[in-house]
């Protein structure tokens, strides 16, 4: 499949970008210890240490991918929805995370295709080296994040980085764009979650006022309001409206 080839190419580029990549390592002299090796750049190192570095980077890679994609906004909104419905554990965390990952792939697939065409394809054809390929893969991701990063957050991190103000937003360094994008996504997620919470809060207040006025003091209002909120959410086809609105917010 096309996305499998893209993923394999990105992983290969990531491995080859390591200093003295294991994939390009050549064995040392037979009389050596067997642990030292010489990479394509002529540098020598220790195989176990490079494996440790590789595994460490692979451990951090999922966190970076989640942080630099719409996953954060989607998961925050779904969490607020579950709290507003009052269902506590339904849908489960695994279900919400899985849905967020699928929607993240749906939204990031054009960006991944752009990175694949501009970076991985020339690298596989030996038209560019590793570092040029990595530099070519950054602009599509930066362009995506700049579309949703607030100017206020960008200005704050640019000031904290003590970096000169660039002539164009595309010239901003990634160390400024990434945290600004994260803060902007969190703010947007909380805004959507608060707006989503209000209708269900009004229903809770109405049910609480009705049960109190008729003297049903021993029956918690949440026992009545929770089924009503679920029925209301299902009747208006809430999942379709919510997911559709979230996806349209990224277009």
């Amino acid at each position: 499949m096309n996305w499998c080839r893209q993923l394999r190419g990105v992983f290969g580029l990531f491995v080859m970008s390591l200093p003295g990549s294991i994939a390009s390592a050549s064995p040392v002299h037979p009389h050596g210890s067997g642990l030292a090796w010489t990479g394509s750049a002529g540098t020598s190192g220790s195989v176990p240490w490079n494996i440790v570095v590789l595994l460490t980077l692979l451990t951090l890679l999922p966190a970076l991918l989640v942080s630099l994609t719409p996953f954060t906004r989607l998961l925050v909104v779904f969490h607020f929805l579950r709290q507003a419905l009052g269902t506590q554990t339904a849908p489960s965390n695994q279900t919400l995370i899985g849905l967020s990952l699928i929607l993240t792939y749906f939204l990031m697939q054009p960006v991944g295709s752009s990175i694949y065409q501009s970076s991985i394809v020339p690298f596989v054809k030996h038209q560019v080296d590793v570092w040029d390929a990595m530099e070519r893969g950054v602009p599509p991701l930066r362009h995506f994040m700049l579309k949703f990063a607030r100017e206020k957050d960008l200005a704050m991190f640019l000031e904290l980085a003590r970096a000169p103000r660039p002539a164009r937003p595309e010239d901003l360094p990634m160390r400024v764009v990434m945290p600004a994008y994260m803060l902007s996504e969190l703010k947007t997620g909380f805004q959507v979650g608060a707006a989503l919470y209000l209708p269900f809060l009004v229903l809770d207040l109405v049910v609480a006022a009705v049960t109190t006025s008729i003297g049903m003091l021993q029956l918690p209002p949440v026992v009545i309001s929770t089924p009503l909120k679920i029925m209301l959410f299902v009747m208006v086809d809430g999942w379709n409206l919510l997911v559709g609105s979230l996806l349209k917010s990224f277009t």
Side-chain angles (χ1 to χ4, degrees):
M1 297 176 64
N2 187 36
W3 68 271
C4 291
R5 292 196 300 269
Q6 294 177 11
L7 182 61
R8 185 169 63 250
V10 172
F11 179 76
L13 177 62
F14 171 74
V15 173
M16 293 298 294
S17 65
L18 293 177
S21 173
I22 297 175
S24 61
S26 58
V28 297
H29 194 273
H31 299 289
S33 62
L35 292 179
W37 53 276
T38 303
S40 59
T43 59
S44 61
S46 172
V47 173
W49 277 111
N50 284 275
I51 293 176
V52 170
V53 173
L54 174 62
L55 294 178
T56 302
L57 293 177
L58 288 177
T59 303
L60 297 176
L61 186 61
L64 292 176
L65 291 177
V66 167
S67 302
L68 305 182
T69 61
F71 179 85
T72 301
R73 183 194 301 189
L74 296 172
L75 191 59
V76 168
V77 172
F78 291 149
H79 173 75
F80 273 102
L81 172 65
R82 187 174 62 181
Q83 293 295 320
L85 289 174
T87 54
Q88 302 300 324
T89 58
S92 63
N93 291 331
Q94 292 82 354
T95 303
L96 295 181
I97 292 174
L99 178 59
S100 300
L101 286 174
I102 292 174
L103 296 178
T104 300
Y105 167 74
F106 178 84
L107 292 169
M108 294 299 294
Q109 198 275 334
V111 180
S113 298
S114 179
I115 295 175
Y116 179 78
Q117 294 296 330
S118 62
S119 176
I120 304 301
V121 172
F123 175 75
V124 172
K125 294 181 178 179
H126 305 287
Q127 298 175 353
V128 296
D129 57 15
V130 176
W131 301 111
D132 289 338
M134 294 180 64
E135 290 179 359
R136 290 189 176 198
V138 170
L141 184 60
R142 181 194 287 118
H143 177 72
F144 174 82
M145 290 191 293
L146 285 174
K147 289 173 59 179
F148 306 103
R150 298 189 307 162
E151 293 185 4
K152 182 178 180 181
D153 295 327
L154 290 171
M156 181 186 70
F157 283 103
L158 189 65
E159 180 182 358
L160 293 176
R162 301 181 185 276
R165 188 179 183 89
R168 303 180 306 163
E170 290 76 12
D171 296 331
L172 286 169
M174 289 296 287
R175 66 187 292 252
V176 172
V177 177
M178 289 189 294
Y181 172 77
M182 277 292 296
L183 287 186
S184 301
E185 287 294 282
L186 286 174
K187 177 180 176 58
T188 304
F190 273 77
Q191 287 177 336
V192 176
L196 189 65
Y197 215 108
L198 290 177
F200 298 105
L201 179 61
V202 172
L203 184 58
D204 283 331
L205 293 176
V206 171
V207 171
V210 171
T211 55
T212 303
S213 62
I214 62 178
M216 299 176 60
L217 302 178
Q218 296 181 352
L219 182 64
V222 68
V223 176
I224 301 176
S225 64
T226 298
L228 293 178
K229 289 187 291 185
I230 295 175
M231 290 175 58
L232 176 64
F233 188 72
V234 172
M235 289 176 59
V236 300
D237 200 4
W239 285 110
N240 183 277
L241 293 176
L242 178 61
V243 172
S245 300
L246 285 174
L247 295 183
K248 290 177 182 178
S249 67
F250 287 97
T251 58

